[in-house]
Amino acid sequence: WLAELLEWSSLGRQLVVPPTVVLTGLPNVGKSSLLNALLGFGRAIVWDEPGTTRDVVVGHTALEGWPIRLADTAGLRATEDEIEADGIAHARRERDSADLVLLVVDGSKGVDEDSRRLMDELSEALVVANKSDLGDVAEGELPGDALVVSALTGVGIDRLAAVIAERLVPEVPGPGTAVPVSERLIGSLERAVRAVARNDESGFRAAMD
């Protein structure tokens, strides 16, 4: 039963420190609008000029009941603007440490060379084709698990929220399942499991003390 408890340690840690979902992509694909749609309020400034988002904009919410940290980042492009370039560097660092990356593309324009390059670079990312309200999305150009949404009208946002939750919490504990949530408790359980494996009764008692 100790091993069974430890199986939920990752989930317990997520309940204490919510996992981070980072929105990345080229400029003007609607990352900020998508962040606002997922949060349910206007956290990020939305403007049609490339480079508007220059710092990491963070918002906290719950999707399907699970706490989530959402981070909107600067659009990825070559720039000579030092402030924007610094924002892009921050965006890459945030992306590299994320629990889940949403690669947002402009679905109304199809998949261009730069978007395809990002898809290849971020092969583990969940591709989200935004702006479906502006035209037909060329779904044949997208990965099979890509999602089509409109941050403006809300189409597909509920499904996106559900998929994010499924990616972060692929297995949900049943009612009444004990989930260890503190590092101290998880550490004690790990020591107890090792003591049992060694048939070390005193070590087991010390771990559970």
Side-chain angles (χ1 to χ4, degrees), residues 59-203:
H60 293 265
T61 189
L63 301 179
E64 301 296 305
W66 301 105
I68 305 289
R69 175 181 180 267
L70 292 169
D72 177 28
T73 60
L76 304 176
R77 66 170 180 170
T79 178
E80 296 182 359
D81 185 303
E82 291 185 9
I83 296 178
E84 185 181 358
D86 190 52
I88 292 171
H90 278 290
R92 294 186 185 280
R93 287 194 293 271
E94 188 79 22
R95 184 190 71 193
D96 291 343
S97 63
D99 296 281
L100 175 64
V101 175
L102 303 186
L103 175 53
V104 186
V105 300
D106 186 341
S108 69
K109 295 182 178 179
V111 179
D112 58 20
E113 182 178 345
D114 289 333
S115 296
R116 192 168 303 282
R117 174 180 52 78
L118 284 176
M119 287 183 193
D120 292 338
E121 178 185 344
L122 304 173
S123 58
E124 298 299 316
L126 174 61
V127 176
V128 181
N130 191 25
K131 302 188 180 183
S132 62
D133 54 289
L134 296 182
D136 294 333
V137 176
E139 296 188 46
E141 301 178 14
L142 300 171
D145 61 349
L147 297 178
V148 177
V149 306
S150 169
L152 180 63
T153 66
V155 170
I157 297 299
D158 287 346
R159 176 58 182 157
L160 173 59
V163 170
I164 291 173
E166 289 169 7
R167 289 283 186 101
L168 294 173
V169 188
E171 187 176 1
V172 178
T177 300
V179 178
V181 296
S182 75
E183 290 298 333
R184 181 175 181 274
L185 177 56
I186 293 170
S188 295
L189 291 171
E190 290 172 340
R191 290 191 295 274
V193 168
R194 290 195 295 268
V196 170
R198 297 192 306 267
N199 198 26
D200 179 0
E201 184 176 346
S202 62

